[in-house]
Amino acid sequence: NKEYEHILVSRPAEGVGLITLNRPKALNALSSPLFKELNEAAEELDKDESIGALVLTGSERAFAAGADIKEMKDKTFVDVYRNRFLEDWTKITALRKPIIAAVSGYALGGGCELALMCDIILASPTAVFGQPEINLGVIPGGGGTQRLVHAIGKSRTMELTLTGRNFSAVEAESWGVVSRVVSEGEGKVVEEAVKMAALIASKSQVAVQAGKEAVNAAYEMTLAEGLRFERRLFHGLFATQDQKEGMSAFAEKRKSTWNHS
Ligand code: CO8
């Protein structure tokens, strides 16, 4: 694997690519150089046919404590507008393959938004989420106001955005922001995310990609359009060898072997 300055990339299990944010001194504050590396690594893993799913994590103390405030502090409107600041900070939402966020410690501001850009979030009991931008005289800029509304509704999103208060792993789980809280212990949440990613990677990758596309369509389309889109993807999968294999294996009471085509 390539050496990066702000992230680590590894392959902890068959079919799994793990990206670890690695700016411990700044609690993984998100900067443009960090995103440049994150985008490059994610794109490379997305293209790699031996990889079926990705995991994104930080440290025990912080998934990411937000965008780098020191980097943003002196920027002017013209700087951020002309340079389209944040535009390439959301590229991971365009990945074909599923990406799971494994969150321990602070996931604040852009850190919370980065987790929300992932397809699944697993949290350690130590996870602390929040959109504290209001305390800096701004608002979330990486999709927080929009993605949180989908996840937890208007009233809670409004409270979090306007008060800047943090919310716990327990709240995140009960509101459905995270799919579950994993039991405590160093590295446990990453281990669990890697296991989940390996399980996803063991399925037909064509079907996984279609499943991800169909679920994401629910964010963009009306119900009628989304249902039609899902049905067409379902129909389309009957053109794959994996559909023939999966259904034949069931009928023949044997385990299926996917060839991802
Ligand atoms: N930016 C830059 N540096 C940071 C950040 C940050 N967001 N967070 C922490 N650091 C640095 C601190 O400055 C400190 O550095 P130094 O040792 O050089 O002083 C080091 O990390 C350790 O932090 P603390 O000493 O503050 O650690 P504490 O345990 O006392 O506190 C907190 C931890 C509560 C997390 C605290 O650091 C904090 O409040 N951080 C800022 C949280 C915040 O406001 N985040 C929102 C930032 S704005 C934003 O994210 C806009 C989103 C834009 C879209 C992004 C799309 C992906």
Side-chain angles (χ1 to χ4, degrees):
N1 281 321
K2 217 184 129 181
E3 289 290 316
Y4 291 102
E5 196 183 335
H6 306 293
I7 61 170
L8 302 168
V9 181
S10 62
R11 290 152 197 258
E14 197 181 334
V16 181
L18 171 65
I19 303 177
T20 305
L21 304 177
N22 189 32
R23 287 189 74 198
K25 283 191 190 131
L27 301 182
N28 290 332
L30 306 167
S31 61
S32 300
L34 179 147
F35 263 99
K36 196 161 180 279
E37 293 186 355
L38 174 58
N39 290 339
E40 191 184 318
E43 199 183 314
E44 199 170 299
L45 291 168
D46 201 45
K47 280 189 190 145
D48 185 334
E49 289 308 323
S50 71
I51 294 291
L54 282 64
V55 174
L56 176 63
T57 195
S59 67
E60 283 298 309
R61 217 175 139 211
F63 177 75
D68 191 322
I69 301 168
K70 293 164 193 165
E71 185 189 84
M72 290 185 293
K73 179 169 81 61
D74 297 320
K75 286 188 193 292
T76 64
F77 168 77
V78 172
D79 291 334
V80 291
Y81 179 67
R82 291 217 63 213
N83 294 311
R84 298 180 168 180
F85 179 52
L86 299 184
E87 189 152 297
D88 52 3
W89 289 33
T90 57
K91 286 206 166 139
I92 62 158
T93 59
L95 297 176
R96 286 181 301 159
K97 294 172 186 169
I99 178 161
I100 304 170
V103 177
S104 290
Y106 296 111
L108 299 178
C112 186
E113 294 173 301
L114 181 60
L116 289 166
M117 285 178 219
C118 294
D119 298 308
I120 299 169
I121 308 177
L122 289 185
S124 150
T126 63
V128 175
F129 298 89
Q131 298 293 160
E133 288 90 341
I134 196 79
N135 300 323
L136 301 167
V138 290
I139 64 168
T145 63
Q146 308 302 297
R147 291 200 176 90
L148 274 175
V149 169
H150 280 284
I152 66 179
K154 173 179 163 180
S155 185
R156 288 179 186 132
T157 304
M158 202 62 97
E159 180 193 335
L160 296 172
T161 306
L162 303 186
T163 68
R165 85 152 169 98
N166 293 342
F167 58 106
S168 66
V170 171
E171 281 175 300
E173 185 179 37
S174 73
W175 294 345
V177 175
V178 306
S179 68
R180 66 191 151 86
V181 178
V182 172
S183 67
E184 200 149 4
E186 187 146 344
K188 271 272 162 37
V189 70
V190 185
E191 249 172 59
E192 215 41 50
V194 167
K195 260 194 236 162
M196 188 188 280
L199 181 62
I200 293 170
S202 74
K203 313 288 181 191
S204 159
Q205 292 308 300
V206 196
V208 166
Q209 186 173 330
K212 170 168 168 164
E213 246 194 304
V215 173
N216 277 336
Y219 280 93
E220 312 285 347
M221 296 180 180
T222 63
L223 180 61
E225 286 166 341
L227 291 171
R228 195 174 320 117
F229 185 73
E230 180 199 72
R231 191 71 48 82
R232 288 290 172 264
L233 281 172
F234 180 80
H235 290 159
L237 291 171
F238 282 72
T240 66
Q241 290 176 21
D242 284 351
Q243 174 267 335
K244 297 287 171 287
E245 166 63 11
M247 294 192 183
S248 304
F250 177 84
E252 292 159 19
K253 299 189 189 297
R254 60 172 174 85
K255 205 167 171 283
S256 35
T257 320
W258 309 118
N259 71 7
H260 311 296
S261 56

